Amino acid sequence: MSALKISALEDDTPVKVTLDLPAGVHRDLVDYGKAISAANGGKAVEPGKLIPEMLRRFMASDRGFVRGRKRGGPA
């Protein structure tokens, strides 16, 4: 068999993380979920569903972090 383009799959099993948020940040997340609802005509999105996507987008937009990852190490 020839070499495969995909050699291994990353473990994408969800990891449960518990953290304490400042009350103001939680209120903002609730409001953000309501804003998504208003824009899309659906029900409000829970903060727990917003946080992973916000973190993913933040890290993807951090140029220093992305450059560091491309070099194979921490940012």
Side-chain angles (χ1 to χ4, degrees), residues 17-34:
V17 177
T18 303
L19 67 140
D20 295 323
L21 295 174
V25 172
H26 183 262
R27 281 190 298 272
D28 289 346
L29 285 168
V30 170
D31 288 345
Y32 200 99
K34 289 176 183 175

Side-chain angles (χ1 to χ4, degrees), residues 7-25:
S7 60
L9 298 176
E10 291 184 34
D11 181 10
D12 64 349
T13 304
V15 177
K16 186 170 186 95
V17 177
T18 303
L19 67 140
D20 295 323
L21 295 174
V25 172

Side-chain angles (χ1 to χ4, degrees), residues 1-7:
M1 182 188 293
S2 63
L4 301 175
K5 291 184 184 248
I6 299 174
S7 60

